[in-house]
Amino acid sequence: IRGMRVECGEVEQAIREECGVSEAVVVAQERGGERRLVAYVVRGSGKGAGEIKGALGGRLPEYMIPVMVKEVEEIPLTRNGKVDRSRLAKEVEEEEGGGVVIGEEAKTPVEEVLAGVWIEVLGVREVRRADNFFELGGHSLLATQLLSRVREIFQVELQLHTLFDQPTMAGMAAAVESLLRSEHRLETPPIEAVPRDTTIPLSFAQQRLWFLNQLEPDSTAYHISNAVRLTGPLNLPVLEQTLTEIVKRHEVLRTAFAFSDRRPVQIISPPAAVSIPVVSISETPEAERETEVRRWIGEDTIQPFDLSSGPLFRAGLLQLGETEHVLLLTMHHIISDAWSLGLLVGEMITLYQAFSEGKPSPLAELPIQYADFAHWQREWLSGEVLDTQLGYWKKQLAGAPSILELPTDRPRPPVQSFQGAAEPFALPANLSERLEELSRQQGVTLFMMLLAAFQVLLSRYSAQQDIVVGSPIANRNHAKTESLIGFFVNTLVLRTDLSGNPSFKELLGRVREVALGAYTHQDVPFEMLVEELQPERKLSHSPLFQVVFALQNAPLPDSQFSELTLDALPVENDTSKFDVVLNMSRTGDGMLGMMEYNTDLFDGATIRRMLEQYQVLLEDIAGNPEKPLAELSLVTEEERQELLLPLHSAPADFPSHRCLHHLFEDQVRRHPLAIALAHEGRSLSYLDLNRRANQLARFLISHHHIGPGSLVAICLHHSFETFVALLAVLKTGAAYVPFDPLHPPARLAFMLEDSNAALLLTEQALQERFHNTATPLLTLDTEWQSVSSESDADLALEITSDALAYVIYTSGSTGQPKGVAITNRSLVNYVWWAKDVYVRGESLSFALYSSLAFDLTVTSLYVPLV
């Protein structure tokens, strides 16, 4: 062991003599490439592992002291009465079983990361907050490795003596967090109780919800509901006594919000008895009861609260039978959060059990109340402390994009609504285990791992590399707030740079740095951050971010108490405060997820496909974390098969005798008022787009003699006018030649001369780029008034599908641009193929096909020139 010879029998003898243990077996085990001693003692010796190791310290040198002491029911023996060491090791291994438990009790991200590091360094299967590094087998050499990993991950210098002073996982995490905060001068004073004869302000988060409530008093967007099925004999008076005690314990449950001296203040009412209204549906036919339960839950959930008078907490009971009830607990978000809901149910279980047995409340008195936290927050977050905190966020979010441009199924409405739906999904246990293992190896939390993958997905969808995501955090980083019901949750803005095509492992390092920095500065309320940064505000979307990611870790109570069994019931949610919200949670069988989405923007089919691709991405990451981001796959197996269809498949029929603008005009007649184009709050219907194209086509014919055989160059910034120009040229029977305004002037001049275009359609801002050309110019933005005087009726021209549609210039094998002519027949054939390949299985109108045709055409024309 560490280069020293060890007699296991000598160690066994010392355990028996020094610790009074009747039976003990010591074996050497290989773990993580290191040999270590493990002692097995018969259960019931009366001494714990720490006491046994401590007793051996005065008799044996350090290298002879077992790193772990395990209790067993009996020492297994062979047939001839000797210790069966192989069977002993096997039985203990089976007892440990399963996967690694990584800090199930971890209360902060720092604790979760540290738990993973301990598991890697010590080679153990689980780590709890109270576990001692040295009792788990740590020694001076492993301590050095541990501190090196801490330095690498957290960028702080933790001294060896600190580990000896704080040898528990929780103690070490607290030391790391203290170093992180002191580095930014963020040490916080304790939260103390304040007199109730003073005016109690609202917390910053409460103030935002209060303000929103003034704008929309009857909104139910910020209701928090929890429905639980209670199976077994229910004692209603005891349940009412239980809730009465909870409301008495937590002032926030009896708090209302008044307007006094030009600001909102907290009004705390004295404790009062809670009466639970009971609705019986026991007479309802059994086949209809579940429907009635859902209806009742839905109706109760949408009942508004009056913030000025309260109460903002209510309970209701639905009786299904003598031993079956459904309890609904509903609170306004201004007094609660998800963590609080877990606390409420946990306290209800504890108190109901005690009161059922005639015992007093076993819960310790709360040292502070939410009102004390609100007062502390207002006092502390000011002056230099606030400047320091805000300084970090200003630097972190400087130049961040104002909106994440996800491709939506419908244009973003000018005023954001909270209309939403949710789509559930699950990750298999095997994938979840591999992701947790990878998290440990890379020194990140599972949250950071899943967030990084989600940001990769968002980057692919948006074609952006600067990705900003919001994430709720419990914000209970003070011991006194852990057991309080109240609105503590804060929202962090997590901005990650995905540029440079890093490997996923490299990206994890970036995400970890961003997340740890955000956690260190989590005390700044999101509301204050928005007020300070003053981002461009638009009613169409939320500021700073429009997508949210969360890994739920709120404490969950037991499901059994007294003679009752508790089962959570789903509460349907038809709201979404953001474009997309991805919620995930750990379970024993993997991970469950729920994606909320704004139904004004997305269809359910789009969200389901996004979730499928997220899982495909996670699978690829788990197996290939070294891959560059651009090489990570999003393609599902079904999509892969579609992409690999034999090239000799039978050709699809297409309207070979018609031109693309004919198909567009068909769509105008079918759906004239449907939106054809949308950009930055503007939209154009199919009818309006067609009318403008008709006017321009007639103007080109009458004023510039454009017609079949003509070529018209188009050089415009991407805009509505681009589509108007494309359609107009096609309607004249001519062909267009697209120019990219970002190309060098020499290249543009060559293509203009080589094509011998009869006319150049452009805009005033680009006119200077063509000052030396002899080609006639028409600047659409300055001359549209003349164009608009033309008739907007469809043109009755005979144009065959063999006519040219456009000419595209490629670089050619010699580097000299060469023009390639494409007929209308070829273009329609391509579009007909594209609509089946790219949108297969979706029920989409030809409106999409038409706009897809132009989008693909413009893209295919420009890309080869870049």
Side-chain angles (χ1 to χ4, degrees), residues 29-93:
Q29 290 184 346
E30 293 284 346
R31 180 67 63 89
E34 181 183 10
R35 177 169 288 185
R36 62 182 191 168
L37 293 180
V38 178
Y40 299 101
V41 300
V42 174
R43 199 181 307 277
S45 63
K47 292 185 181 294
E51 293 178 288
I52 293 176
K53 294 176 67 174
L56 295 177
R59 176 168 174 172
L60 300 175
E62 181 189 358
Y63 65 86
M64 293 184 67
I65 298 176
V67 297
M68 298 186 71
V69 178
K70 292 183 173 292
E71 288 187 313
V72 295
E73 294 295 337
E74 62 180 9
I75 302 295
L77 303 176
T78 63
R79 291 182 178 180
N80 56 10
K82 294 183 178 181
V83 174
D84 191 340
R85 296 176 183 272
S86 61
R87 181 180 157 199
L88 177 64
K90 181 179 179 182
E91 287 183 357
V92 172
E93 184 176 338

Side-chain angles (χ1 to χ4, degrees), residues 766-786:
L766 298 173
Q767 188 174 359
E768 183 62 27
R769 309 201 71 186
F770 302 96
H771 64 280
N772 290 327
T773 183
T775 304
L777 271 64
L778 174 60
T779 53
L780 295 182
D781 50 349
T782 61
E783 299 187 47
W784 186 258
Q785 186 173 358
S786 299

Side-chain angles (χ1 to χ4, degrees), residues 104 226 338-339 341-347 349 552-559 566 568 585-588:
E104 285 184 350
N226 190 34
W339 184 293
L341 203 54
L343 289 175
L344 175 65
V345 176
E347 288 193 0
I349 292 172
Q552 301 295 340
N553 59 356
L556 299 176
D558 295 332
S559 60
L566 182 150
S585 60
R586 287 186 176 101
T587 70

Side-chain angles (χ1 to χ4, degrees), residues 353-375:
Q353 182 78 43
F355 294 160
S356 295
E357 299 170 359
K359 299 178 181 178
S361 168
L363 300 177
E365 186 176 349
L366 296 172
I368 61 169
Q369 293 287 334
Y370 186 83
D372 302 314
F373 165 79
H375 181 273

Side-chain angles (χ1 to χ4, degrees), residues 171 178-179 252 295 378 389 397 483 508 593 609 643 694:
S178 178
L179 286 173
V252 73
R295 187 191 66 79
R378 292 279 182 174
Q389 292 262 16
L397 300 178
S483 56
L508 282 178
R609 184 167 183 266
L643 291 173
N694 288 337

Side-chain angles (χ1 to χ4, degrees), residues 499-519:
S499 64
N501 194 27
S503 69
F504 187 77
K505 280 188 176 181
E506 293 177 70
L507 177 64
L508 282 178
R510 299 182 188 183
V511 171
R512 179 177 61 203
E513 182 181 356
V514 167
L516 290 176
Y519 297 143

